[in-house]
Amino acid sequence: MAPNGVNGSSGSHRFDPDFTRLVVENMGPNVAPRTRQLLGGLIRHIHDFAREVELTNDEWMAGVHFINSIGQCSTSIRNEAHRVSDILGLESLVDEIAHKLVVEGDVEPTSSSILGPFWSPNAPFRDLGSSIIQDPNPKGRVALMHGTITDLLTGKPIPGAVFDIWQASANGKYDFQDPENQTPNNLRGKFRADENGKYWFYCYHPTAYSLPTDGPAYKLLQLMERHPMRPAHIHIMVTHPDYRGCTTQLYPKDDPWLATDTVFAVKNDLVVDFKPKEGDPKATLDLEYNVILPPKDYKGKL
Amino acid sequence: MAPNGVNGSSGSHRFDPDFTRLVVENMGPNVAPRTRQLLGGLIRHIHDFAREVELTNDEWMAGVHFINSIGQCSTSIRNEAHRVSDILGLESLVDEIAHKLVVEGDVEPTSSSILGPFWSPNAPFRDLGSSIIQDPNPKGRVALMHGTITDLLTGKPIPGAVFDIWQASANGKYDFQDPENQTPNNLRGKFRADENGKYWFYCYHPTAYSLPTDGPAYKLLQLMERHPMRPAHIHIMVTHPDYRGCTTQLYPKDDPWLATDTVFAVKNDLVVDFKPKEGDPKATLDLEYNVILPPKDYKGKL
């Protein structure tokens, strides 16, 4: 296959060199510049892909049927296009594009990761030291999670930062997905850090789970000989009005799916170590995780 | 924006240079080579597009909703993903990839063009000289269409070649779409060329029509400030067991939409000249169109 030329639309293939330009330039004069850039880039990459692989009519039609099947499987509580873009790595890439920060010093801010489809804007504030476990699952292993939220530049704590956590239960399901076993806001909660920037509460050691295996996203995974598993993870979103917030996920270091996460959302600084805990009747595990936020106006090197 | 590097996944952007490789290499060892090439190329181009335009989270989510809307609008008689790929030029490009033939001599075979969604495998054979007009439309202008089907290399006629024609009526609708006014196979028919490779029959001068304006494809056209019109055209499919068949479309030379066909299916040798016809009580127009087919095993220069 010939490499793409500059702008991706020339190159050494044997096809009409003007066709892609003709399609892009068919856009009218009043198209917004960003729309023109986005759709022009999309058309160029779709065409370059088709020429590079010499896409056949049957393959194109298989793609057409696949695209139709995505929407036909989606409902108000199932977003299959979101899942398909996740397993192709697109949501993780968009997250990187949005949050990439090249710092000047040695300390890095906590890495971001994808929001995913299960965050809720309605999670309740809970008291420091309380539990997010409303509906205990017999297989759940309780952990005391705690840490300090600090400023990237000064290293000082950030009192009043809000630590929002959500996680699946020990059956691998979130409250939305499991109304028989879970009440709304089970395993969700917001905590406000104390005057020392510290937070602490009880939650579960997370449980790995599979993406749904009855739709187009799973068909695509099968075509690629990939499993549908997400490594066990805890979602967190840490915010403060004076800082750039961080939405991310934390992964136990011994999870077998870390290297092959089906949505490619694992980063090294997000892998954590649950330790045995003694002397606490409420928990058998301890997890310390410290979060580092850049000030709101910090731009880094770029 | 930085140009793509070789293989499209490196380049001078500020993002993780290994991410795309990680996603592609997550495919298992038993994936068929062609599947690996197709999906690997697709992932690389999607990622390169996202990095090139620095796709934002909101833009990505708008794309996710758009993809879902395509399938939600599709039915057993409406293939919206087909239409969306058409207005992006993809079906015409796939057609070019499949049929590109670089000939050795001065004579070119008849250009192919896209099949479109309205061909029927059930069109009846009709007698040479008959009409495909079963249900006359008061606005229809009848033409005698005729020509010779010849061999690219020898220039000799191809007796017995099958000339399959289908077209919309003067209201811009095909029989499938217009059961109130049209009986099945109105404006469809197959004709077998005579011993001199000649065919002739009566049909309509074609009528320009709009793609549906109630779905995602039209929304995309509006974003691009493009009209939804296809130039007037006649579909033909010419076949013979010993030749490479030709599926194509013919366009009247005075059609106002030729240069901006919404599916980019016009080529120069497919633009035809309807002439006034006198002395024939059945027709007011005459259209001569000769078709040139390459022998089945002819490979051209490539």
Side-chain angles (χ1 to χ4, degrees), chain A residues 92-129:
Chain A
S92 283
L93 182 57
V94 166
D95 179 72
E96 183 194 11
I97 291 167
H99 297 103
K100 184 79 177 184
L101 190 64
V102 180
V103 298
E104 289 155 312
D106 291 338
V107 181
E108 298 272 349
T110 300
S111 290
S112 69
S113 188
I114 63 177
L115 177 67
F118 296 112
W119 177 73
S120 166
N122 304 318
F125 270 98
R126 300 183 192 268
D127 293 335
L128 286 167

mmCIF file of all heavy atoms in Angstrom, chain A residues 92-129:
data_model
loop_
_atom_site.group_PDB
_atom_site.id
_atom_site.type_symbol
_atom_site.label_atom_id
_atom_site.label_comp_id
_atom_site.label_asym_id
_atom_site.label_seq_id
_atom_site.Cartn_x
_atom_site.Cartn_y
_atom_site.Cartn_z
ATOM 1 N N SER A 92 -11.047 7.056 23.935
ATOM 2 C CA SER A 92 -9.790 7.273 24.670
ATOM 3 C C SER A 92 -8.897 8.283 23.947
ATOM 4 O O SER A 92 -8.235 9.106 24.577
ATOM 5 C CB SER A 92 -9.044 5.948 24.853
ATOM 6 O OG SER A 92 -9.652 5.205 25.890
ATOM 7 N N LEU A 93 -8.900 8.218 22.619
ATOM 8 C CA LEU A 93 -8.080 9.170 21.863
ATOM 9 C C LEU A 93 -8.624 10.591 21.999
ATOM 10 O O LEU A 93 -7.859 11.549 22.194
ATOM 11 C CB LEU A 93 -8.038 8.743 20.388
ATOM 12 C CG LEU A 93 -7.197 9.603 19.456
ATOM 13 C CD1 LEU A 93 -5.754 9.685 19.930
ATOM 14 C CD2 LEU A 93 -7.249 9.023 18.043
ATOM 15 N N VAL A 94 -9.944 10.744 21.912
ATOM 16 C CA VAL A 94 -10.558 12.072 22.080
ATOM 17 C C VAL A 94 -10.266 12.602 23.485
ATOM 18 O O VAL A 94 -9.989 13.801 23.664
ATOM 19 C CB VAL A 94 -12.075 11.983 21.811
ATOM 20 C CG1 VAL A 94 -12.810 13.226 22.296
ATOM 21 C CG2 VAL A 94 -12.333 11.773 20.311
ATOM 22 N N ASP A 95 -10.282 11.722 24.463
ATOM 23 C CA ASP A 95 -9.946 12.127 25.825
ATOM 24 C C ASP A 95 -8.499 12.614 25.901
ATOM 25 O O ASP A 95 -8.208 13.645 26.519
ATOM 26 C CB ASP A 95 -10.161 10.928 26.765
ATOM 27 C CG ASP A 95 -9.795 11.272 28.196
ATOM 28 O OD1 ASP A 95 -10.547 12.021 28.811
ATOM 29 O OD2 ASP A 95 -8.737 10.813 28.661
ATOM 30 N N GLU A 96 -7.590 11.893 25.249
ATOM 31 C CA GLU A 96 -6.191 12.334 25.254
ATOM 32 C C GLU A 96 -6.050 13.704 24.573
ATOM 33 O O GLU A 96 -5.343 14.584 25.061
ATOM 34 C CB GLU A 96 -5.295 11.316 24.533
ATOM 35 C CG GLU A 96 -3.823 11.731 24.607
ATOM 36 C CD GLU A 96 -2.905 10.975 23.658
ATOM 37 O OE1 GLU A 96 -3.392 10.256 22.781
ATOM 38 O OE2 GLU A 96 -1.679 11.147 23.796
ATOM 39 N N ILE A 97 -6.718 13.862 23.424
ATOM 40 C CA ILE A 97 -6.631 15.133 22.692
ATOM 41 C C ILE A 97 -7.116 16.287 23.573
ATOM 42 O O ILE A 97 -6.525 17.368 23.600
ATOM 43 C CB ILE A 97 -7.440 15.034 21.378
ATOM 44 C CG1 ILE A 97 -6.744 14.079 20.406
ATOM 45 C CG2 ILE A 97 -7.645 16.415 20.752
ATOM 46 C CD1 ILE A 97 -7.592 13.665 19.203
ATOM 47 N N ALA A 98 -8.197 16.034 24.331
ATOM 48 C CA ALA A 98 -8.762 17.107 25.165
ATOM 49 C C ALA A 98 -7.886 17.449 26.360
ATOM 50 O O ALA A 98 -7.871 18.598 26.798
ATOM 51 C CB ALA A 98 -10.149 16.690 25.652
ATOM 52 N N HIS A 99 -7.175 16.457 26.898
ATOM 53 C CA HIS A 99 -6.534 16.654 28.193
ATOM 54 C C HIS A 99 -5.017 16.611 28.169
ATOM 55 O O HIS A 99 -4.388 16.750 29.213
ATOM 56 C CB HIS A 99 -7.061 15.616 29.191
ATOM 57 C CG HIS A 99 -8.522 15.760 29.446
ATOM 58 N ND1 HIS A 99 -9.452 14.925 28.897
ATOM 59 C CD2 HIS A 99 -9.216 16.700 30.126
ATOM 60 C CE1 HIS A 99 -10.665 15.317 29.260
ATOM 61 N NE2 HIS A 99 -10.556 16.387 30.000
ATOM 62 N N LYS A 100 -4.434 16.415 26.986
ATOM 63 C CA LYS A 100 -2.977 16.312 26.929
ATOM 64 C C LYS A 100 -2.347 17.595 27.443
ATOM 65 O O LYS A 100 -2.626 18.684 26.960
ATOM 66 C CB LYS A 100 -2.542 16.089 25.480
ATOM 67 C CG LYS A 100 -1.055 15.878 25.309
ATOM 68 C CD LYS A 100 -0.685 14.463 25.683
ATOM 69 C CE LYS A 100 0.797 14.190 25.442
ATOM 70 N NZ LYS A 100 1.102 12.785 25.712
ATOM 71 N N LEU A 101 -1.493 17.450 28.453
ATOM 72 C CA LEU A 101 -0.849 18.607 29.068
ATOM 73 C C LEU A 101 0.617 18.242 29.229
ATOM 74 O O LEU A 101 0.953 17.244 29.862
ATOM 75 C CB LEU A 101 -1.497 18.856 30.428
ATOM 76 C CG LEU A 101 -1.163 20.144 31.160
ATOM 77 C CD1 LEU A 101 -1.654 21.356 30.375
ATOM 78 C CD2 LEU A 101 -1.836 20.122 32.531
ATOM 79 N N VAL A 102 1.484 19.010 28.591
ATOM 80 C CA VAL A 102 2.911 18.735 28.743
ATOM 81 C C VAL A 102 3.436 19.691 29.806
ATOM 82 O O VAL A 102 3.446 20.905 29.606
ATOM 83 C CB VAL A 102 3.649 18.920 27.400
ATOM 84 C CG1 VAL A 102 5.132 18.628 27.572
ATOM 85 C CG2 VAL A 102 3.048 18.007 26.343
ATOM 86 N N VAL A 103 3.809 19.120 30.959
ATOM 87 C CA VAL A 103 4.149 19.976 32.110
ATOM 88 C C VAL A 103 5.599 20.425 32.037
ATOM 89 O O VAL A 103 6.428 19.859 31.325
ATOM 90 C CB VAL A 103 3.894 19.243 33.444
ATOM 91 C CG1 VAL A 103 2.426 18.906 33.590
ATOM 92 C CG2 VAL A 103 4.751 17.987 33.551
ATOM 93 N N GLU A 104 5.894 21.483 32.811
ATOM 94 C CA GLU A 104 7.263 22.022 32.837
ATOM 95 C C GLU A 104 8.117 21.348 33.904
ATOM 96 O O GLU A 104 9.317 21.213 33.733
ATOM 97 C CB GLU A 104 7.202 23.536 33.078
ATOM 98 C CG GLU A 104 6.666 24.270 31.857
ATOM 99 C CD GLU A 104 6.031 25.613 32.183
ATOM 100 O OE1 GLU A 104 5.213 25.657 33.122
ATOM 101 O OE2 GLU A 104 6.336 26.588 31.501
ATOM 102 N N GLY A 105 7.497 20.922 35.015
ATOM 103 C CA GLY A 105 8.279 20.338 36.107
ATOM 104 C C GLY A 105 8.328 18.827 36.034
ATOM 105 O O GLY A 105 8.053 18.210 34.999
ATOM 106 N N ASP A 106 8.705 18.189 37.174
ATOM 107 C CA ASP A 106 8.833 16.735 37.229
ATOM 108 C C ASP A 106 7.522 16.059 37.607
ATOM 109 O O ASP A 106 7.363 14.865 37.393
ATOM 110 C CB ASP A 106 9.869 16.340 38.302
ATOM 111 C CG ASP A 106 11.272 16.746 37.878
ATOM 112 O OD1 ASP A 106 11.483 16.927 36.657
ATOM 113 O OD2 ASP A 106 12.136 16.892 38.767
ATOM 114 N N VAL A 107 6.622 16.813 38.241
ATOM 115 C CA VAL A 107 5.377 16.207 38.714
ATOM 116 C C VAL A 107 4.333 16.276 37.599
ATOM 117 O O VAL A 107 4.166 17.314 36.960
ATOM 118 C CB VAL A 107 4.866 16.956 39.963
ATOM 119 C CG1 VAL A 107 3.577 16.321 40.479
ATOM 120 C CG2 VAL A 107 5.934 16.952 41.048
ATOM 121 N N GLU A 108 3.657 15.146 37.375
ATOM 122 C CA GLU A 108 2.599 15.093 36.351
ATOM 123 C C GLU A 108 1.236 15.173 37.035
ATOM 124 O O GLU A 108 1.051 14.585 38.107
ATOM 125 C CB GLU A 108 2.669 13.761 35.599
ATOM 126 C CG GLU A 108 3.954 13.528 34.836
ATOM 127 C CD GLU A 108 3.895 14.092 33.427
ATOM 128 O OE1 GLU A 108 2.787 14.468 32.986
ATOM 129 O OE2 GLU A 108 4.963 14.175 32.792
ATOM 130 N N PRO A 109 0.269 15.837 36.422
ATOM 131 C CA PRO A 109 -1.085 15.767 36.988
ATOM 132 C C PRO A 109 -1.660 14.367 36.792
ATOM 133 O O PRO A 109 -1.178 13.609 35.943
ATOM 134 C CB PRO A 109 -1.864 16.790 36.158
ATOM 135 C CG PRO A 109 -1.135 16.874 34.870
ATOM 136 C CD PRO A 109 0.321 16.590 35.169
ATOM 137 N N THR A 110 -2.643 14.021 37.590
ATOM 138 C CA THR A 110 -3.307 12.725 37.444
ATOM 139 C C THR A 110 -3.855 12.588 36.017
ATOM 140 O O THR A 110 -4.476 13.507 35.487
ATOM 141 C CB THR A 110 -4.455 12.608 38.471
ATOM 142 O OG1 THR A 110 -3.877 12.721 39.777
ATOM 143 C CG2 THR A 110 -5.184 11.294 38.344
ATOM 144 N N SER A 111 -3.599 11.450 35.382
ATOM 145 C CA SER A 111 -4.063 11.234 33.992
ATOM 146 C C SER A 111 -5.577 11.172 33.933
ATOM 147 O O SER A 111 -6.220 10.624 34.823
ATOM 148 C CB SER A 111 -3.511 9.911 33.462
ATOM 149 O OG SER A 111 -2.132 9.982 33.256
ATOM 150 N N SER A 112 -6.108 11.677 32.850
ATOM 151 C CA SER A 112 -7.547 11.527 32.634
ATOM 152 C C SER A 112 -7.819 10.201 31.947
ATOM 153 O O SER A 112 -6.918 9.551 31.418
ATOM 154 C CB SER A 112 -8.078 12.670 31.777
ATOM 155 O OG SER A 112 -7.572 12.545 30.469
ATOM 156 N N SER A 113 -9.060 9.778 31.992
ATOM 157 C CA SER A 113 -9.504 8.631 31.218
ATOM 158 C C SER A 113 -10.967 8.874 30.860
ATOM 159 O O SER A 113 -11.551 9.891 31.240
ATOM 160 C CB SER A 113 -9.308 7.341 32.011
ATOM 161 O OG SER A 113 -9.571 6.229 31.184
ATOM 162 N N ILE A 114 -11.561 7.966 30.103
ATOM 163 C CA ILE A 114 -12.884 8.255 29.548
ATOM 164 C C ILE A 114 -13.979 8.261 30.617
ATOM 165 O O ILE A 114 -13.906 7.531 31.602
ATOM 166 C CB ILE A 114 -13.243 7.273 28.423
ATOM 167 C CG1 ILE A 114 -13.329 5.833 28.926
ATOM 168 C CG2 ILE A 114 -12.218 7.388 27.317
ATOM 169 C CD1 ILE A 114 -13.745 4.845 27.845
ATOM 170 N N LEU A 115 -14.963 9.094 30.375
ATOM 171 C CA LEU A 115 -16.115 9.214 31.277
ATOM 172 C C LEU A 115 -16.947 7.940 31.274
ATOM 173 O O LEU A 115 -17.446 7.508 32.310
ATOM 174 C CB LEU A 115 -16.983 10.399 30.830
ATOM 175 C CG LEU A 115 -18.280 10.641 31.597
ATOM 176 C CD1 LEU A 115 -17.986 11.081 33.030
ATOM 177 C CD2 LEU A 115 -19.140 11.697 30.894
ATOM 178 N N GLY A 116 -17.134 7.339 30.092
ATOM 179 C CA GLY A 116 -18.002 6.172 29.982
ATOM 180 C C GLY A 116 -19.459 6.573 30.087
ATOM 181 O O GLY A 116 -19.787 7.750 30.324
ATOM 182 N N PRO A 117 -20.367 5.605 29.911
ATOM 183 C CA PRO A 117 -21.800 5.939 29.837
ATOM 184 C C PRO A 117 -22.521 5.915 31.181
ATOM 185 O O PRO A 117 -23.737 6.095 31.216
ATOM 186 C CB PRO A 117 -22.348 4.858 28.911
ATOM 187 C CG PRO A 117 -21.437 3.692 29.081
ATOM 188 C CD PRO A 117 -20.094 4.223 29.502
ATOM 189 N N PHE A 118 -21.820 5.707 32.309
ATOM 190 C CA PHE A 118 -22.538 5.449 33.564
ATOM 191 C C PHE A 118 -22.417 6.535 34.621
ATOM 192 O O PHE A 118 -22.920 6.386 35.723
ATOM 193 C CB PHE A 118 -22.109 4.082 34.145
ATOM 194 C CG PHE A 118 -22.479 2.942 33.258
ATOM 195 C CD1 PHE A 118 -21.508 2.193 32.616
ATOM 196 C CD2 PHE A 118 -23.812 2.638 33.035
ATOM 197 C CE1 PHE A 118 -21.865 1.145 31.781
ATOM 198 C CE2 PHE A 118 -24.181 1.586 32.198
ATOM 199 C CZ PHE A 118 -23.201 0.839 31.567
ATOM 200 N N TRP A 119 -21.760 7.633 34.312
ATOM 201 C CA TRP A 119 -21.732 8.733 35.274
ATOM 202 C C TRP A 119 -23.139 9.292 35.437
ATOM 203 O O TRP A 119 -23.936 9.283 34.494
ATOM 204 C CB TRP A 119 -20.796 9.844 34.780
ATOM 205 C CG TRP A 119 -20.783 11.030 35.703
ATOM 206 C CD1 TRP A 119 -20.196 11.115 36.927
ATOM 207 C CD2 TRP A 119 -21.407 12.306 35.466
ATOM 208 N NE1 TRP A 119 -20.403 12.362 37.473
ATOM 209 C CE2 TRP A 119 -21.148 13.103 36.597
ATOM 210 C CE3 TRP A 119 -22.159 12.844 34.427
ATOM 211 C CZ2 TRP A 119 -21.611 14.426 36.714
ATOM 212 C CZ3 TRP A 119 -22.623 14.136 34.527
ATOM 213 C CH2 TRP A 119 -22.347 14.921 35.662
ATOM 214 N N SER A 120 -23.458 9.742 36.645
ATOM 215 C CA SER A 120 -24.760 10.371 36.878
ATOM 216 C C SER A 120 -24.551 11.756 37.472
ATOM 217 O O SER A 120 -23.760 11.922 38.403
ATOM 218 C CB SER A 120 -25.581 9.527 37.849
ATOM 219 O OG SER A 120 -26.686 10.308 38.315
ATOM 220 N N PRO A 121 -25.279 12.747 36.963
ATOM 221 C CA PRO A 121 -25.178 14.082 37.560
ATOM 222 C C PRO A 121 -25.895 14.155 38.909
ATOM 223 O O PRO A 121 -25.770 15.151 39.626
ATOM 224 C CB PRO A 121 -25.874 14.980 36.535
ATOM 225 C CG PRO A 121 -26.821 14.085 35.806
ATOM 226 C CD PRO A 121 -26.203 12.712 35.818
ATOM 227 N N ASN A 122 -26.618 13.107 39.276
ATOM 228 C CA ASN A 122 -27.475 13.160 40.470
ATOM 229 C C ASN A 122 -26.912 12.463 41.691
ATOM 230 O O ASN A 122 -27.613 12.275 42.686
ATOM 231 C CB ASN A 122 -28.839 12.532 40.143
ATOM 232 C CG ASN A 122 -29.481 13.211 38.952
ATOM 233 O OD1 ASN A 122 -29.439 14.431 38.840
ATOM 234 N ND2 ASN A 122 -30.050 12.428 38.042
ATOM 235 N N ALA A 123 -25.650 12.044 41.639
ATOM 236 C CA ALA A 123 -25.086 11.347 42.801
ATOM 237 C C ALA A 123 -25.137 12.272 44.020
ATOM 238 O O ALA A 123 -24.860 13.467 43.913
ATOM 239 C CB ALA A 123 -23.647 10.932 42.508
ATOM 240 N N PRO A 124 -25.493 11.713 45.198
ATOM 241 C CA PRO A 124 -25.644 12.560 46.398
ATOM 242 C C PRO A 124 -24.294 12.885 47.046
ATOM 243 O O PRO A 124 -23.347 12.111 46.956
ATOM 244 C CB PRO A 124 -26.458 11.663 47.334
ATOM 245 C CG PRO A 124 -26.076 10.273 46.947
ATOM 246 C CD PRO A 124 -25.828 10.305 45.455
ATOM 247 N N PHE A 125 -24.234 14.043 47.700
ATOM 248 C CA PHE A 125 -23.099 14.300 48.592
ATOM 249 C C PHE A 125 -23.244 13.401 49.804
ATOM 250 O O PHE A 125 -24.351 13.220 50.345
ATOM 251 C CB PHE A 125 -23.072 15.771 49.019
ATOM 252 C CG PHE A 125 -22.280 16.630 48.079
ATOM 253 C CD1 PHE A 125 -22.918 17.366 47.089
ATOM 254 C CD2 PHE A 125 -20.894 16.685 48.174
ATOM 255 C CE1 PHE A 125 -22.184 18.152 46.209
ATOM 256 C CE2 PHE A 125 -20.156 17.471 47.291
ATOM 257 C CZ PHE A 125 -20.796 18.207 46.307
ATOM 258 N N ARG A 126 -22.131 12.820 50.224
ATOM 259 C CA ARG A 126 -22.120 11.971 51.424
ATOM 260 C C ARG A 126 -21.032 12.515 52.367
ATOM 261 O O ARG A 126 -20.121 13.230 51.937
ATOM 262 C CB ARG A 126 -21.821 10.523 51.046
ATOM 263 C CG ARG A 126 -22.836 9.899 50.066
ATOM 264 C CD ARG A 126 -22.488 8.429 49.816
ATOM 265 N NE ARG A 126 -23.226 7.839 48.704
ATOM 266 C CZ ARG A 126 -24.386 7.182 48.798
ATOM 267 N NH1 ARG A 126 -24.990 7.072 49.975
ATOM 268 N NH2 ARG A 126 -24.950 6.644 47.726
ATOM 269 N N ASP A 127 -21.134 12.137 53.638
ATOM 270 C CA ASP A 127 -20.147 12.592 54.624
ATOM 271 C C ASP A 127 -18.831 11.836 54.469
ATOM 272 O O ASP A 127 -18.836 10.635 54.174
ATOM 273 C CB ASP A 127 -20.672 12.375 56.050
ATOM 274 C CG ASP A 127 -21.870 13.257 56.363
ATOM 275 O OD1 ASP A 127 -21.991 14.326 55.723
ATOM 276 O OD2 ASP A 127 -22.680 12.872 57.237
ATOM 277 N N LEU A 128 -17.748 12.536 54.709
ATOM 278 C CA LEU A 128 -16.440 11.873 54.735
ATOM 279 C C LEU A 128 -16.495 10.721 55.737
ATOM 280 O O LEU A 128 -17.054 10.852 56.830
ATOM 281 C CB LEU A 128 -15.346 12.866 55.141
ATOM 282 C CG LEU A 128 -14.975 13.886 54.051
ATOM 283 C CD1 LEU A 128 -14.136 15.021 54.641
ATOM 284 C CD2 LEU A 128 -14.254 13.213 52.897
ATOM 285 N N GLY A 129 -15.951 9.577 55.338
ATOM 286 C CA GLY A 129 -15.951 8.417 56.228
ATOM 287 C C GLY A 129 -17.162 7.524 56.085
ATOM 288 O O GLY A 129 -17.195 6.430 56.641
#
